[in-house]
Amino acid sequence: MMIKLFKFLSSKSQVEMIKRGLIIPPGATEKPTKTVTDLLEDFTRSVLGPENRHGSNNMGREHLYKYLPATQAELPVRKMSDSYDTAIIPLGTDMSMREKYMTFHKTIRIGRLLEDLDIFAVTLCYRHILNPKQPSNVSISPYSIVTACVDQIDISHVPLRHDADIRLRGHVTWVGKSSLEATMEVDQIDEKTNAWNTVTNARFVMVSRDPMNKGSAIVNQLLPETEGEKALFRKGEENKERRTQMQTTSLFRKPPSEQERLIIHDQFLRTIDWKSMSFKTRIKPANSVWMADAKLKNMIICHPENRNRFNKIFGGFLMRLAVELAWANCYVYCKSLPTVVHVDDILFRKPVEIGSLLYFSSQVVYTQGHYVMVRVSAEVVQPEDGTHDLTNVFHFTLKTDGMAPEVIPRTYQEAMMFLDGRRHFMDTEHPSPAGGPLAKL
């Protein structure tokens, strides 16, 4: 399975310990005392104040504009330890919680975990923000923190159990002017040894917005002090540069490379009918599937039940629907139970309004060995004129026990989707066929 841990200078001092890409503050408890439910309730009460009802249009937040700073100089510099927090998902003791997270084959619903990570990332960002302009008697924060993208979530070879507690912990590791990167770790307790084993690492990029979620809002600078913190901050800068580079070299902007063009042409040569020598006739190779036949779609109505505190549809809810659709598509495609092993490049392009008709389309775009790359797009459908407005793009890598059928594009559009999926797959690390050290394919 894929594991990509942050690589940085390892150091240990009296004030901190670096572990798996996090700075663990001194005195941090091994087992959290608050659950994810407690975390959300405390966060709602201390940061957001009374919950806005659907239809209120956030009218109770307009007066908060005067508390926003104009420059970062107005805000105190923060440390990584200031935003550190931890919470527990009590699957070992809470039966109702366990049923909510358990799949039909008694593993963990990754979609539920994505929802919790999204909420957790938001709370970490609010912990980072310290605003002297906000009076002590004003409990509602003038900031609106929203998810911009999920950079990476790597899932180890250790499957998450449905009957053991899960621990979330993390902190902010990089800050720009109005954007923040929250790095999180998901552990599960081994009840035999009473030790916590890390099973997932995640990085969420969040954006700070004004009270009405109409423009950006400036946040505190982050000051890395130790070598470990500086390495984490540099990693955040590298992630930003990597995302910028991906946009620059996107197939929407530049044509495929010479190697990629040869790959597509080779696929064409393997699928033509040499007897007829016709460009129209195509023959599907053995153990392969036409890309057009590797789709699965769904449409939902966005009800107020699934909104966030700012009366938009909750991003974690969208992630859960997308990953479960991708899983179902891979199951149908491979005809065997798959496992989600990597989540990458989830882009939140636009907010989804309550009442929207949201159209999910999943497509197998690339396969290699036991691995399947599935791309899921979410579009708001306007029934009046039939137009589609893209709001989210998701990429998931899944693994099956058997060899996955090769997916074959037939059109130029499908070929570009194939190459885009291949790029995402090549950007992650996978175990070698012999089960040896991790290798980039």
Side-chain angles (χ1 to χ4, degrees):
M1 297 289 181
M2 293 176 277
I3 310 173
K4 184 187 287 183
L5 302 181
F6 301 146
K7 298 178 181 177
F8 49 82
L9 298 174
S10 178
S11 65
K12 189 175 180 180
S13 66
Q14 294 180 347
V15 297
E16 67 183 12
M17 177 178 65
I18 304 172
K19 184 178 181 182
R20 302 185 187 94
L22 291 179
I23 304 297
I24 310 301
T29 58
E30 279 292 299
K31 185 171 183 178
T33 56
K34 57 186 175 184
T35 67
V36 290
T37 303
D38 298 332
L39 188 76
L40 181 59
E41 291 177 352
D42 292 345
F43 163 69
T44 301
R45 181 174 57 253
S46 62
V47 176
L48 299 179
E51 180 181 1
N52 284 337
R53 298 298 177 185
H54 172 52
S56 66
N57 198 29
N58 283 342
M59 291 302 293
R61 294 179 58 83
E62 288 186 340
H63 70 285
L64 298 173
Y65 274 97
K66 59 188 176 185
Y67 302 132
L68 286 177
T71 65
Q72 282 187 316
E74 300 177 51
L75 300 172
V77 176
R78 301 287 277 166
K79 302 177 182 179
M80 290 190 183
S81 58
D82 292 329
S83 59
Y84 177 85
D85 204 3
T86 181
I88 194 167
I89 306 174
L91 303 183
T93 55
D94 192 326
M95 297 299 108
S96 60
M97 183 76 74
R98 181 186 300 178
E99 187 166 299
K100 179 181 176 182
Y101 282 75
M102 184 174 61
T103 67
F104 67 90
H105 50 288
K106 295 187 177 181
T107 58
I108 291 297
R109 295 175 64 182
I110 299 299
R112 290 290 187 196
L113 193 58
L114 290 176
E115 286 184 297
D116 287 336
L117 287 170
D118 192 36
I119 294 173
F120 193 49
V122 171
T123 63
L124 297 179
C125 293
Y126 273 110
R127 288 179 66 88
H128 170 81
I129 296 172
L130 181 61
N131 183 12
K133 295 192 66 175
Q134 181 178 340
S136 58
N137 62 341
V138 177
S139 61
I140 306 176
S141 173
Y143 289 91
S144 303
I145 303 295
V146 297
T147 309
C149 77
V150 177
D151 197 47
Q152 286 188 356
I153 300 178
D154 300 299
I155 302 173
S156 78
H157 66 283
V158 180
L160 284 162
R161 295 174 52 195
H162 71 283
D163 57 354
D165 290 347
I166 293 175
R167 178 180 67 185
L168 307 180
R169 57 181 180 175
H171 57 79
V172 172
T173 51
W174 177 86
V175 174
K177 190 175 181 180
S178 61
S179 57
L180 312 92
E181 180 186 84
T183 299
M184 295 164 286
E185 178 182 276
V186 180
D187 311 317
Q188 188 160 49
I189 195 166
D190 185 332
E191 295 178 341
K192 294 182 180 179
T193 63
N194 205 35
W196 292 94
N197 299 317
T198 300
V199 291
T200 303
N201 290 276
R203 291 194 296 269
F204 281 53
V205 179
M206 318 300 287
V207 176
S208 173
R209 308 281 289 174
D210 63 33
M212 303 298 289
N213 195 19
K214 293 182 179 179
S216 61
I218 295 172
V219 297
N220 306 71
Q221 291 180 303
L222 179 65
L223 177 64
E225 297 180 313
T226 67
E227 289 302 312
E229 290 181 349
K230 291 176 182 178
L232 283 176
F233 193 87
R234 285 195 300 269
K235 183 65 178 177
E237 289 284 358
E238 293 171 3
N239 294 335
K240 178 185 177 182
E241 293 174 2
R242 181 181 64 86
R243 290 190 294 271
T244 302
Q245 179 65 20
M246 288 182 65
Q247 291 179 355
T248 303
T249 59
S250 167
L251 291 168
F252 288 106
R253 296 175 180 266
K254 291 188 176 181
S257 66
E258 181 63 27
Q259 180 189 12
E260 290 173 332
R261 287 194 288 265
L262 291 175
I263 290 173
I264 295 303
H265 190 66
D266 177 69
Q267 285 184 332
F268 169 72
L269 293 178
R270 290 192 295 117
T271 59
I272 63 174
D273 185 354
W274 288 97
K275 293 181 180 180
S276 65
M277 293 299 291
S278 170
F279 286 105
K280 296 182 179 180
T281 306
R282 303 286 294 274
I283 299 176
K284 183 166 61 72
N287 194 32
S288 66
V289 178
W290 294 121
M291 185 176 285
D293 298 326
K295 299 178 181 180
L296 198 60
K297 302 177 182 181
N298 186 25
M299 181 175 281
I300 67 162
I301 304 172
C302 298
H303 294 291
E305 175 188 3
N306 300 309
R307 66 187 174 88
N308 59 24
R309 301 295 172 178
F310 309 110
N311 284 324
K312 308 294 181 183
I313 296 300
F314 174 45
F317 171 70
L318 302 177
M319 285 190 282
R320 173 164 62 87
L321 294 180
V323 71
E324 292 183 352
L325 181 63
W327 183 90
N329 192 5
C330 186
Y331 192 3
V332 173
Y333 181 84
C334 296
K335 299 178 174 58
S336 62
L337 285 171
T339 302
V340 179
V341 294
H342 193 81
V343 180
D344 189 24
D345 284 349
I346 297 179
L347 302 179
F348 292 83
R349 299 176 182 272
K350 297 179 181 179
V352 178
E353 303 291 340
I354 297 171
S356 298
L357 293 181
L358 197 59
Y359 178 71
F360 284 90
S361 177
S362 69
Q363 173 73 69
V364 174
V365 292
Y366 184 77
T367 60
Q368 183 167 314
H370 298 273
Y371 296 101
V372 178
M373 171 67 71
V374 181
R375 179 185 188 272
V376 180
S377 62
E379 301 172 317
V380 171
V381 178
Q382 301 296 340
E384 292 79 10
D385 56 15
T387 58
H388 290 221
D389 192 11
L390 182 67
T391 60
N392 306 84
V393 180
F394 311 82
H395 293 87
F396 304 103
T397 304
L398 301 96
K399 185 179 180 183
T400 62
D401 291 333
M403 300 294 286
E406 181 183 9
V407 65
I408 303 290
R410 299 183 74 174
T411 66
Y412 189 80
Q413 176 190 4
E414 291 176 349
M416 295 303 99
M417 293 176 64
F418 175 89
L419 293 178
D420 184 64
R422 181 179 180 274
R423 288 182 179 184
H424 284 287
F425 184 81
M426 298 284 283
D427 194 42
T428 60
E429 292 182 352
H430 305 265
S432 64
L438 291 175
K440 276 205 170 185
L441 300 176

